[in-house]
Amino acid sequence: MATASVAFKSREDHRKQIELEEARKAGLAPAEVDEDGKEINPHIPQYMSSAPWYLNAEKPSLKHQRKWKSDPNYTKSWYDRGAKVFQAEKYRKGACLNCGAMTHAAKSCVERPRKVGAKWTNIHIAPDEKIETIELDYDGKRDRWNGYDPSSYSHVVERYEARDAARRKYVKEQQLKKLEEKNGNQNAEDGVNDVDNDEDDLRVDEAKVDESKQMDFAKVEKRVRTTGGGSTGTVRNLRIREDTAKYLLNLDVNSAHYDPKTRSMREDPLPDADPNEKFYEGDNQYRNSGQALEFKHLNIHAWEAFDKGQDIHMQAAPSQAELLYKNHKVIKEKLKTRTKDTIMEKYGNAASEEEIPRELLLGQSERQVEYDRAGRIIKGQETVLPRSKYEEDVFINNHTTVWGSWWKDHQWGYKCCKQMIRNSYCTGAAGIKAAEAATDLMKANIDRKEATKEAPAPVEEKQLATWGTEVPEDLILDEKLLAEALKKEDERKREEKDERKRKYNVRWNDEVTAEDMEAYRMKKVHHDDPMKDFLH
């Protein structure tokens, strides 16, 4: 038998406790009772949360594990909303500075802040609210419908009932109109048959209406995946059972992959089929169309805006991101419209202009003009030629034609005087004759000069001997030039022997004459010559 473990001060106390328990078993001592005055069964262990089945105990014995009795102070009532207790006529000390109520301070006042508070105006004092202290039990604190008034839902029921009544009335009126129209067109017998048919149609329509009201997609009880491991809930299965499953559209093993866990098939199972006959083209089609594409653009705009320095985040503040994206589209559209209007204002819009009349395109009209033999207009009005935005027929400096009316030798000029200078004064026919005479005289002088021109004297070319070439046999050397070349070669030799005589600024002479080349050959040391040692 298990008993509760109790700490005793001495062995004597322990012995007395054992004797008391033995006396209680024998019926010589009163039994131990709990707070309610009921006898405690000593055969039930005190550390067990529930009694064994063979003891036929009605409830557990541990007091600290379960509350044996309910607290009478607990209530199931709720706050009396909007109730007022007392209406004061003047401000009281310690009341709210804003409204004058005693039940709250100015910091927690829910009224609109007054320009001048009730403490100073002493008028429009707000009544005191009813303050209640409600203690709820464990279930009352967690009751989400605690304090709900069921009568507040009555207006919703009434609205739906009124809608259904109006609908039934409208359907009945439509059926009566059909009956009246058919009764006016047909005889009485046909009318009776039509009434029966209309009544049948009305019943069918009402049955359809009731079916549509009660119709709902098949409800499937399944576990919804959540972060806490899932919870059982009602999920509507929106797939029509008559449709072929996506994984049965193409039974080829190498076709689009089907993931049974997520029930997704991203690629098109029948890519070669006619697009007009296919009702399913893969899950990727939903990503590139409809709201998915709009959401994709919204994400891209949020990323680009964040990269440019704006404080925007799609996941942290989606409403802000969507609002900024809408403003961006509006501003972009306004900018495009403004640019278009600017271009149209500057260059015009040929697409929106009215079509040119046919008579203007062909140069014909119904206007009649009569001329005399001299070409003067007798009757009617002369045809006005269209004018451009530039000045026309403006003659300057006594010219009778405009600049650009004459062309010669790739130059523009005036036709009246054949001058090429833009701001020249017109000389007329005399100027043309003078210009032609001057041109003829210039040509004659050029021809005479070319005829009398003397031929230039021939320039004697120096015969330069190239390095490494043989001396021709018909070469004639000048003795004086050869002597000078030998002296220069001796000086060059002496400079090579004594480097102290070498100058800093070296001058080069690329013109080598035949005499210089001969002097170099004469002074050159021939190592193969047996008489080289006897040369001075």
Side-chain angles (χ1 to χ4, degrees):
M1 182 184 299
T3 57
S5 60
V6 181
F8 299 98
K9 295 182 180 179
S10 62
R11 292 185 177 182
E12 186 66 23
D13 295 338
H14 191 195
R15 186 181 60 78
K16 290 180 179 180
Q17 181 67 21
I18 294 174
E19 293 178 354
L20 180 60
E21 290 179 358
E22 292 178 352
R24 285 174 179 172
K25 293 177 185 178
L28 302 177
E32 187 180 2
V33 296
D34 56 7
E35 295 178 359
D36 298 336
K38 296 182 179 181
E39 183 180 351
I40 298 177
N41 193 345
H43 301 285
I44 301 178
Q46 298 297 314
Y47 56 82
M48 296 176 62
S49 61
S50 59
W53 61 270
Y54 51 82
L55 295 179
N56 296 324
E58 297 180 357
K59 58 182 180 180
S61 61
L62 289 181
K63 299 178 182 179
H64 68 278
Q65 288 198 4
R66 189 166 298 187
K67 206 160 187 178
W68 288 49
K69 59 181 180 179
S70 59
D71 195 342
N73 296 329
Y74 289 153
T75 179
K76 292 186 178 181
S77 61
W78 196 247
Y79 300 100
D80 191 2
R81 296 184 180 179
K84 307 297 180 182
V85 178
F86 176 72
Q87 174 69 52
E89 297 181 357
K90 62 179 181 179
Y91 182 78
R92 294 159 293 176
K93 185 178 181 181
C96 176
L97 303 179
N98 184 43
C99 65
M102 287 291 294
T103 52
H104 63 269
K107 187 175 182 181
S108 57
C109 185
V110 295
E111 285 195 9
R112 179 181 59 85
R114 302 181 184 181
K115 188 174 182 181
V116 180
K119 178 180 179 181
W120 296 274
T121 59
N122 209 15
I123 57 176
H124 303 299
I125 305 298
D128 299 342
E129 295 92 352
K130 184 178 179 181
I131 304 299
E132 295 179 279
T133 303
I134 297 177
E135 294 184 4
L136 300 175
D137 55 357
Y138 181 86
D139 295 330
K141 291 178 182 178
R142 290 155 180 80
D143 186 7
R144 59 182 299 187
W145 296 102
N146 196 357
Y148 177 73
D149 186 10
S151 61
S152 61
Y153 192 73
S154 60
H155 69 280
V156 179
V157 178
E158 293 174 358
R159 184 179 63 185
Y160 278 89
E161 290 178 353
R163 187 193 67 178
D164 294 340
R167 185 188 173 284
R168 285 193 296 269
K169 182 179 179 182
Y170 174 76
V171 172
K172 190 172 183 180
E173 290 177 356
Q174 294 297 325
Q175 296 297 334
L176 290 175
K177 286 182 181 180
K178 289 181 181 180
L179 289 174
E180 291 175 359
E181 292 176 358
K182 290 186 178 181
N183 286 334
N185 298 332
Q186 298 178 359
N187 53 18
E189 295 180 359
D190 296 339
V192 172
N193 296 330
D194 291 339
V195 169
D196 297 336
N197 295 333
D198 291 337
E199 290 179 356
D200 295 339
D201 295 341
L202 181 58
R203 295 191 192 97
V204 171
D205 291 340
E206 289 181 352
K208 289 182 179 178
V209 170
D210 294 338
E211 182 182 357
S212 64
K213 286 176 60 179
Q214 297 174 2
M215 183 184 68
D216 199 355
F217 294 106
K219 294 184 178 180
V220 180
E221 296 290 337
K222 58 183 292 188
R223 292 184 65 83
V224 182
R225 288 181 294 173
T226 60
T227 56
S231 61
T232 303
T234 301
V235 179
R236 298 179 188 272
N237 190 359
L238 302 180
R239 185 174 69 84
I240 303 175
R241 294 297 179 179
E242 286 77 9
D243 294 341
T244 306
K246 63 179 73 174
Y247 53 83
L248 297 177
L249 294 175
N250 191 351
L251 300 179
D252 187 6
V253 180
N254 298 324
S255 62
H257 174 69
Y258 175 75
D259 186 9
K261 184 176 182 180
T262 58
R263 299 182 181 177
S264 61
M265 182 182 287
R266 294 176 177 82
E267 299 179 1
D268 189 0
L270 300 172
D272 300 331
D274 187 5
N276 298 325
E277 298 179 358
K278 290 191 296 186
F279 68 91
Y280 179 76
E281 298 179 359
D283 295 340
N284 287 336
Q285 67 170 341
Y286 304 116
R287 299 183 181 181
N288 300 326
S289 61
Q291 295 182 348
L293 188 61
E294 186 71 18
F295 184 72
K296 181 180 178 181
H297 293 331
L298 177 59
N299 272 323
I300 294 174
H301 173 263
W303 298 336
E304 293 178 351
F306 182 78
D307 292 339
K308 293 179 181 178
Q310 292 190 10
D311 188 10
I312 178 175
H313 198 279
M314 185 60 196
Q315 281 70 34
S319 301
Q320 178 192 8
E322 186 174 1
L323 181 61
L324 289 177
Y325 180 57
K326 289 182 179 179
N327 296 338
H328 167 72
K329 290 197 297 185
V330 172
I331 295 173
K332 186 177 180 180
E333 191 66 26
K334 287 183 179 180
L335 184 61
K336 289 174 62 177
T337 306
R338 189 187 310 164
T339 306
K340 181 180 178 180
D341 295 342
T342 305
I343 295 174
M344 291 175 61
E345 182 181 356
K346 185 175 182 180
Y347 299 103
N349 187 5
S352 63
E353 292 179 358
E354 298 180 357
E355 295 183 359
I356 301 175
R358 187 177 181 84
E359 56 271 10
L360 294 181
L361 290 174
L362 301 177
Q364 298 177 358
S365 65
E366 297 180 356
R367 185 173 52 190
Q368 184 178 0
V369 182
E370 296 181 3
Y371 300 88
D372 59 2
R373 292 184 178 180
R376 295 186 295 270
I377 298 176
I378 300 175
K379 184 180 179 182
Q381 188 177 3
E382 186 178 3
T383 305
V384 180
L385 298 176
R387 300 176 64 87
S388 66
K389 64 179 181 179
Y390 303 101
E391 294 181 352
E392 295 184 6
D393 299 334
V394 178
F395 308 116
I396 60 174
N397 296 337
N398 202 27
H399 288 285
T400 57
T401 57
V402 295
W403 167 262
S405 58
W406 188 59
W407 168 265
K408 184 180 180 182
D409 297 336
H410 304 284
Q411 289 183 344
W412 293 104
Y414 294 98
K415 187 177 181 181
C416 55
C417 58
K418 296 184 179 180
Q419 295 194 59
M420 306 294 184
I421 302 173
R422 177 71 181 272
N423 296 323
S424 62
Y425 192 81
C426 183
T427 55
I432 296 174
K433 292 180 181 179
E436 291 177 353
T439 303
D440 296 340
L441 181 59
M442 184 177 63
K443 289 180 179 180
N445 291 334
I446 291 173
D447 294 340
R448 186 175 62 254
K449 186 175 181 181
E450 289 180 354
T452 59
K453 189 175 182 180
E454 296 180 356
V459 180
E460 295 181 359
E461 296 182 357
K462 295 182 178 180
Q463 297 179 358
L464 301 178
T466 59
W467 294 86
T469 58
E470 295 181 357
V471 180
E473 297 178 354
D474 56 348
L475 179 63
I476 300 174
L477 300 175
D478 191 353
E479 297 294 337
K480 294 181 179 179
L481 295 177
L482 182 59
E484 292 177 0
L486 290 172
K487 289 181 180 179
K488 290 181 181 179
E489 187 67 19
D490 291 338
E491 292 177 359
R492 190 180 66 82
K493 293 281 187 181
R494 285 195 296 270
E495 288 179 359
E496 289 182 357
K497 292 180 180 180
D498 191 0
E499 293 185 355
R500 291 177 299 176
K501 295 182 180 180
R502 180 181 296 178
K503 298 179 180 179
Y504 292 101
N505 298 328
V506 180
R507 296 180 181 179
W508 297 94
N509 186 10
D510 295 336
E511 295 183 357
V512 180
T513 59
E515 289 79 7
D516 295 338
M517 194 65 192
E518 184 64 21
Y520 172 74
R521 291 195 187 97
M522 293 172 65
K523 296 293 184 179
K524 183 180 178 182
V525 178
H526 299 277
H527 297 282
D528 297 337
D529 190 0
M531 300 296 291
K532 65 179 180 179
D533 297 333
F534 298 97
L535 294 176
H536 297 288

